Structures are given as C-alpha cells and as structure tokens.
Amino acid sequence: MPIQEKAKILDIRELAENHFKITLLSKYISTNATAGQFVNVRISEETSPLLRRPFSIYNSEPQKELIEILFDVVGEGTKMLSLKEVNEELDILGPLGTGFEIPTDKKMAILVGGGIGIAPLLFLARALKGKIPAVYVIIGARDKKHLIDKKEFDAAKCQVLTCTDDGSAGKKGLAPDFMLPILEESKSIDKETIIYACGPKPMLKACAEIAEQYKIPAQLSMEEKMACGIGACMGCVIKTKSGYQKVCEDGPVFKAEEIIWE
Amino acid sequence: MAINLAGIEMKNPVMVASGTYGYGKEFADYTDLNKLGALVTKTVTLKAREGNPPPRICETPSGMLNTIGLQNPGIEKFLKEAIPFLKKLKIPVIINIAGETIEEFAELAKILEKEKVVKGIEVNVSCPNVKSGGMAFGCDPDLVSKITKSVKKAVSAPVIVKLTPNVTDITLIAKAAEAAGADAITAINTVLGMSFDLKTGKPKLSRGVGGLSGPAIRPIAVRCVWQIAQAVKIPVIGVGGIMTSDDAKEFFLAGAKAVQVGTANFVDTEAAVKVAAGLK
Ligand SMILES: Cc1cc2nc3c(=O)[nH]c(=O)nc-3n(C[C@H](O)[C@H](O)[C@H](O)COP(=O)(O)OP(=O)(O)OC[C@H]3O[C@@H](n4cnc5c(N)ncnc54)[C@H](O)[C@@H]3O)c2cc1C
Ligand SMILES: Cc1cc2nc3c(=O)[nH]c(=O)nc-3n(C[C@H](O)[C@H](O)[C@H](O)COP(=O)(O)O)c2cc1C
Ligand code: FES
C-alpha cells in the first residue's frame, strides 16, 4: 500500500551537468518498495508547477531507511527540484506502480538503460542478486556528458558495458545493438534469459523487437504524462493488447509483447 | 457546516469532482473518505468507452489540460466493480452519468436508482452528442432541457445538472435546466483549451484541444457560479480550481451552496478533506 508523506532530504548532489541524485529519508517506502516502482513528487507548494512529477526509485536501502532518485533537469519542475536543499522536506507519494517481475527459472538477465532510463535498473540489479546468476547491464547515452557512472553497477557485481551514440565514451552505437553479441554467445540458453529495459521509446521498441526475434521475455518500463499517479484520472494510458492501460498502476513495467507501438 | 442539498444530507458542503477521484477506492489508502460531504464518481456511460489516445494530459500555467474521453467500463461493470466499495461508505454517493443520446441518460439513471447507495444523479451534459456530430449537449438549452426532463421523469432521486462553461451565456442553460426540473446545478466543467509543443510543432494533446482545470480556471468558475446564482433559485454547486478552503469561500460568496474539489486531489490526496476541515 502506498502512502503520502513528507520525506526529509538527506543529500542532494549534481553528479554531472544537469544530472542529480536526491537521497530521502523514508522508512516506509524503503521497506515496501520493489524494483521498478516510482514515487510521485510534489515540487512546490505553489500552483505552478502544479502536478506532481514521477521519478523511479533508483536505490532503496531499508536498513538505512532511505531511498534515492536520479534525475535530469529537463524543464521547470526538475529545475526547481534540483535547487532543493538538505533538510528540506519533499512531499512524496509512493511506492507506486507495478515494478519488475523476477522469475525464478532464469540464468541470465540483460538490463538495458538509455540515458536517465538507467534509474530503475540499479534497484533491479541489486534485487536480482542471488536470483539470476549472470547479470549484464548495457548503459547507453547520447554522448559522454550524458553517460551515467557505472560504478554502482560494478559494485552490484554486474557485467557492465557502456556505449554512446557518438562514440565519445564507451562503445559507439545504440544500446540495444549490444544485446546481440551477448545473446549470440549464449544462444543455447535463450530460454533462460530475460531482458529488462528502460529508456526512450525508440530504444524500448528496439529491445521489444530483439526480444521477439530471439523469443525471450522482456519487461519494459514505460513513461507517459501523469496527473494523479494513483490510477484515478486515466491520464497516463498507453495502448496495449488489452486496451488502454495505466502506466501509473498497471505499469510502469509492462511485458514487451503486450505493448502496441504507434 | 451540515447542509441539505436538494434533499441530499451532507455533513459538510465539500464533495469531490467527477473524474478526479476515480470511483473513490483509489483514494481510500490515503485519506478518510467519510470526512467528505459527498463523493461524486467518474462519469459512467451505458456502454464501455475506451477513451482517447495518449497523450491525454499536459500541464499549463497553474492548471492542466485533459482529453481523457470519458474512459469507463460501462454501467454493467460499474455496478459490479464500483458499487460494492461505495456501499461501505457512510457519506452520500452521487453518480455522474453521460449518454450518447438523450434516451441513454434516462436509461442510466433508472438503472442506478435501483442501488440504495445512490443518493443523487449528476448529469454530465458536457459530453459530445453523437447524433449531432459530437457537439456537446450542454451548449444547447433545448437539449439540456430535454435531457433533464427525461432523467427527472425516470427517477425520483435528486438530479443535478453539471454545466459546461464553453457557452456564450451560461445563465440560459442554467435556466433551461431549472425549468426542466433540475434539483441543483454544478458549475463548471472544464474550459476548452489548447497547447502546442514547440519542439515538435504539434499540439500537446492527442486530440489537439482538451479541458482546462485547476487554479487557472477559478475566476471563470466563480464568475459562472455568480451569474447562475442570480438567474436561478435551485442550489448551485461551485467547482473549478479550488485548492484550499479560502478558495472555496470565494464560491460561497458568489452564491454557491456547496463546492467540489477536482484537480487539487492530484496534487494532494487529502486536498478535499482539508478544504472541508478548513471551513469549520
Ligand atoms: C514512471 C516514470 C518514471 C520516471 N522516472 C524518472 C527518473 O527516474 N528520472 C528522471 O529524470 N525522470 C523520470 N521520469 C520523467 C520525469 O517525470 C520528467 O522528466 C519530469 O516530470 C519533467 O518535469 P519538468 O517539470 O522538469 O518538465 P516539463 O516542463 O514538464 O517538461 C519538460 C520535458 O519533460 C517531458 N516530460 C514531462 N513530464 C514527463 C513525464 N511524466 N514523463 C516523461 N516525460 C515527461 C516533457 O515532454 C518535456 O519534453 C519518469 C517518468 C515516469 C512516467
Ligand atoms: C482528469 C480529469 C477528468 C475529468 N473527468 C470528468 C468526468 O468524467 N465527468 C465530469 O463531469 N467532469 C470531469 N472532469 C471535470 C471536473 O469534474 C471539474 O468539473 C473540473 O476539472 C473543474 O474543477 P477543478 O479545477 O477543481 O478540477 C474531469 C477533470 C479532470 C481534470
Ligand atoms: S496518472 Fe492518473 S491514472 Fe495514472
């Protein structure tokens, strides 16, 4: 069950230009959240920006009673969020949505994150520990400036590959392309492989196509504009094989074969 | 602060606005629904409606645009899925309905009146009239009159007509509803608006235009309530941009007997309950 609460900011830092991490004190959310869920954050007490802004839970540490979110400044709301200070309180709703499913019969997981889409994947990588033996993470970005630090994934014992569209850091190319060599190498264990992805729509679509081609299950974290974040307004739907479904409640994580791409 | 609104007994004059509170259940984890004056459910139609394609919402200065397209499972499923929860509430439940034809409004009201939990019917005339190419029923006093009459004939429960502000003279529509037997009027539904994305050069909503709500429309809503309250004798329920109890007080000054809180529920799950508490 999600709650609305005021969570104290324990830390806020700019990891790279326009790229921030906020650490929040929340005993309840840290103990109840699962990988792939999100929090809906009230940015201001004023009427503009009015609506809450959704952010994936990047990290959740129940022992320390904290959660972390990772975000890029893209507009007014995220700009204001980046100016918050330690000890201020943030009004948050969470943990919201349906996160990633972790099957027990898989031997290999490939996590693909594009840009800020990497956010829910660290929490996932940690949750996979002890459940899926081989975890590959492909971190993609437009260029070096936007590439996210991989050290937390290294620490989570994942095999990490980084790439950029322009080759300014890591390998040159699009993140989904680097799934192919991993899949080819392990062809015999296709049935024991699962793909998880989060990022821009074209990247997710490419992942869905590869999953279909190799007949591997894939779970994708989708985005849509939200108002309530709790399933009440019907504002955040995407088209699926079972009609319009709510990203905030039925998702944000959907099975790739369920999604109807426009 | 208890009131009797057209026969509906309420502990306080604060309800939640249709479409912003789902069927109530969605908010039960966060707030005590029994502290509301009344609950108004999201518009239900006879047949299921799939709604409009995404994107369905976008933020605008102190407000938001939506084009949900009345997505709902249809009356049959509504009775099965929503009514059992609503029955557990201790506050009056008002069901908001919309039809594609005049006959559908009456049919819906008749089906709903059989449920004891239903204390009132709110008629959403801001929905498109399928027969006349989709123009809202609520823009034509004659159609509003016909819908109101047919619903009144079908049921004995109080009938509240919810008006659209997207008309030249809202008092004409309000008078038509009153003359046709409406027990109360809700004003206003969303204001027609539009916004473009400069990056893509396209409208931000899938259908181009959508309904504006939130604090941005409050002065329009207060004005409409004031005009209607002068023009009719039946009670007026004010809605549009209420975030706080002070905002609600403006509507009472304009002549409203009760208020509804809509978009504010998205911002703060306890908004409506806080507005009620602030009026004490
Ligand atoms: C389930 C979910 C999880 C998310 N997780 C993260 C995360 O972990 N880190 C992160 O940085 N961002 C995340 N986002 C996106 C984030 O919510 C938006 O970047 C943010 O709301 C933008 O607010 P703004 O006021 O700065 O921008 P606005 O001025 O509102 O818009 C600026 C730009 O951001 C885009 N945008 C606005 N709202 C959304 C939205 N809800 N979803 C997608 N794009 C949007 C707009 O199209 C526009 O291009 C997530 C979105 C969803 C739906
Ligand atoms: C997302 C959304 C969905 C809505 N759905 C309905 C609806 O189904 N039926 C209805 O009569 N009004 C609907 N409305 C209108 C509200 O009930 C209300 O009249 C309007 O939003 C103005 O109030 P507010 O500014 O407090 O939100 C909807 C509004 C929003 C924002
Ligand atoms: S954001 Fe309101 S239903 Fe998803």
Side-chain angles (χ1 to χ4, degrees), chain B residues 25 41 54 72-73 90 102 116 120 144 161 176 190 201 205 221 224 226:
Chain B
K25 234 189 339 235
T41 53
N72 81 90
K90 297 187 189 87
I102 295 175
K116 259 199 3 233
V144 171
V161 179
T190 53
L205 298 180
C224 288
W226 182 76

Side-chain angles (χ1 to χ4, degrees), chain B residues 17 122-123 126 160-165 170-171 174 184-190 217-218 220-229 235-242 251 256 258-260:
Chain B
E122 186 176 68
V123 180
S126 307
I160 305 164
V161 179
K162 180 169 176 182
L163 302 186
T164 167
I170 200 164
T171 64
I185 283 171
T186 302
I188 55 175
N189 212 311
T190 53
I217 69 166
R218 195 164 62 237
I220 300 173
V222 171
R223 181 267 295 172
C224 288
V225 166
W226 182 76
Q227 287 180 322
I228 296 167
V236 184
I237 303 164
V239 48
I242 297 175
F251 283 85
V259 293
Q260 294 179 351

Side-chain angles (χ1 to χ4, degrees), chain B residues 31-172:
Chain B
T31 191
D32 182 359
L33 306 185
N34 289 320
K35 288 186 179 154
L36 296 168
L39 189 140
V40 186
T41 53
K42 171 157 187 65
T43 296
V44 61
T45 54
L46 203 55
K47 285 183 244 94
R49 281 177 63 106
E50 135 168 280
N52 292 334
R56 288 179 172 184
I57 49 182
C58 77
E59 184 157 336
T60 55
S62 295
M64 63 175 282
L65 286 166
N66 88 77
T67 176
I68 309 293
L70 298 182
Q71 179 176 344
N72 81 90
I75 187 71
E76 213 172 295
K77 267 205 173 148
F78 173 85
L79 293 176
K80 275 199 215 104
E81 289 169 8
I83 293 286
F85 172 83
L86 295 170
K87 269 185 184 158
K88 290 188 227 150
L89 298 177
K90 297 187 189 87
I91 53 167
V93 171
I94 296 166
I95 310 289
N96 180 299
I97 59 169
E100 288 183 356
T101 61
I102 295 175
E103 297 72 37
E104 279 188 18
F105 282 94
E107 195 176 340
L108 278 161
K110 221 181 252 165
I111 297 170
L112 284 161
E113 200 186 30
K114 291 196 200 107
E115 301 293 331
K116 259 199 3 233
V117 59
V118 179
K119 294 291 182 290
I121 304 284
E122 186 176 68
V123 180
N124 176 8
V125 292
S126 307
C127 54
N129 175 1
V130 169
K131 269 190 193 147
S132 77
M135 195 189 69
F137 287 106
C139 297
D140 180 342
D142 196 39
L143 286 173
V144 171
S145 168
K146 282 187 178 134
I147 292 169
T148 310
K149 267 189 199 146
S150 74
V151 176
K152 276 299 287 179
K153 222 170 89 187
V155 299
S156 58
V159 174
I160 305 164
V161 179
K162 180 169 176 182
L163 302 186
T164 167
N166 306 315
V167 294
T168 319
D169 184 354
I170 200 164
T171 64
L172 287 181

Side-chain angles (χ1 to χ4, degrees), chain A residues 95-145:
Chain A
L96 298 173
T98 308
F100 295 106
E101 259 174 50
I102 302 177
T104 50
D105 60 339
K106 302 287 181 237
K107 299 244 157 53
M108 178 166 94
I110 307 176
L111 282 50
V112 188
I116 195 69
I118 203 70
L121 299 184
L122 179 69
F123 192 176
L124 175 66
R126 292 191 170 154
L128 292 176
K129 233 200 307 193
K131 299 197 174 107
I132 296 183
V135 179
Y136 291 83
V137 183
I138 303 167
I139 304 176
R142 232 177 309 156
D143 50 34
K144 188 175 177 184
K145 227 180 74 191

